[in-house]
Amino acid sequence: MLNRRQLRVKVMQTIYAMSASGSQNIDTQEKFLVKSMNDMEVLYYLLIDLFNQLHKQHQDLQEKSSKKHLASKEELKPNQKFSNNKLVKLITDSLLLAEKMESLKSNFWKNHEEYIRIIYDKMIESQIYQDYVADSTSNFKNDRDFIVKLYSEVIAPDEKLYEFLEDSSLTWLDDLPLVNTFLLKTFRQLKTEETSKELLIKLFRDIEDRDFA
């Protein structure tokens, strides 16, 4: 995930943060650097899992609407385009991704469900979403391109999400541009024949890069 130039940036951020705090303890600086890099990996997976949470929100709301006493024709038979999005399904059905989230022991979104609803509402109100669900085209490329556009133009620039992540972790705000870039690159490279393991990343390319940091 991180090349050596990016590793140098992380090291400089750590040095700056520790200098600003007045700490000269090398062990403390090293632990902060390792935690910062691990937190970057967590952020990457949380942002992927965000689509899992949006999918659940979508399914739950459609199910509730269909059970209303005086449900409309649209509520009884809602548009399933987003529910059946092939890239989102790749994420929601991925056992590897579920295992990774379990290993991180993260209940992040469950503890902050209000932000899922904020992002979900912004998603369905966007013209990008409206154009997507109105289009009858159904293939992996179309679904993938929608997710890439949705993330880059609606989700990533969202100020509420930006402020929330800033409040959640000391380093996430600095890491967000890089993680966004890597996430979008990962999505764009996915093909229909690829499995969800392509969504999984390694923080370091190899042991030498870890030692370099």
Side-chain angles (χ1 to χ4, degrees), residues 134-185:
D135 184 2
S136 60
T137 305
S138 179
N139 57 57
F140 188 87
K141 182 181 183 302
N142 185 65
D143 288 353
R144 181 199 62 200
D145 290 349
F146 160 69
I147 293 299
V148 168
K149 191 172 184 180
L150 177 71
Y151 187 82
S152 60
E153 297 185 24
V154 177
I155 297 176
D158 185 72
E159 290 185 6
K160 290 287 186 182
L161 178 63
Y162 196 78
E163 293 170 0
F164 175 54
L165 293 176
E166 181 181 19
D167 291 340
S168 299
S169 173
L170 181 63
T171 58
W172 276 355
L173 195 60
D174 291 330
D175 295 336
L176 189 57
L178 177 59
V179 172
N180 282 341
T181 298
F182 193 80
L183 182 63
L184 289 170
K185 180 180 178 181

Side-chain angles (χ1 to χ4, degrees), residues 65-98:
S65 294
S66 68
K67 292 180 178 179
K68 287 166 58 176
H69 179 59
L70 296 175
S72 66
K73 183 178 179 180
E74 185 179 73
E75 288 172 330
L76 289 171
K77 195 174 181 180
N79 189 306
Q80 296 294 315
K81 188 78 180 286
F82 181 71
S83 296
N84 296 327
N85 181 284
K86 293 176 175 58
L87 176 51
V88 175
K89 292 288 286 181
L90 191 68
I91 294 171
T92 60
D93 294 345
S94 173
L95 293 178
L96 289 173
L97 194 56

Side-chain angles (χ1 to χ4, degrees), residues 49-64 82-83 88-89 91-93 98 101 106-107 109-110 113 116-117 120 123:
D49 190 54
L50 176 59
F51 287 98
N52 185 28
Q53 304 304 320
L54 290 173
H55 184 264
K56 288 179 181 177
Q57 179 79 22
H58 189 67
Q59 296 285 78
D60 289 346
L61 290 176
Q62 285 194 336
E63 184 178 354
K64 289 177 182 177
F82 181 71
S83 296
V88 175
K89 292 288 286 181
I91 294 171
T92 60
D93 294 345
M101 294 304 296
S106 175
N107 291 317
W109 294 121
K110 289 183 180 179
E113 292 180 347
I116 298 298
R117 186 56 190 261
Y120 176 80
M123 176 185 80

Side-chain angles (χ1 to χ4, degrees), residues 24 33 114 185 197 202:
Q24 300 298 321
L33 176 61
E114 67 275 17
K185 180 180 178 181
K197 70 179 181 180
K202 293 192 299 182

Side-chain angles (χ1 to χ4, degrees), residues 32-52:
F32 181 85
L33 176 61
V34 172
K35 184 179 185 305
S36 173
M37 290 181 172
N38 288 336
D39 285 349
M40 182 187 290
E41 182 182 22
V42 171
L43 178 60
Y44 171 84
Y45 284 111
L46 286 177
L47 291 174
I48 285 188
D49 190 54
L50 176 59
F51 287 98
N52 185 28

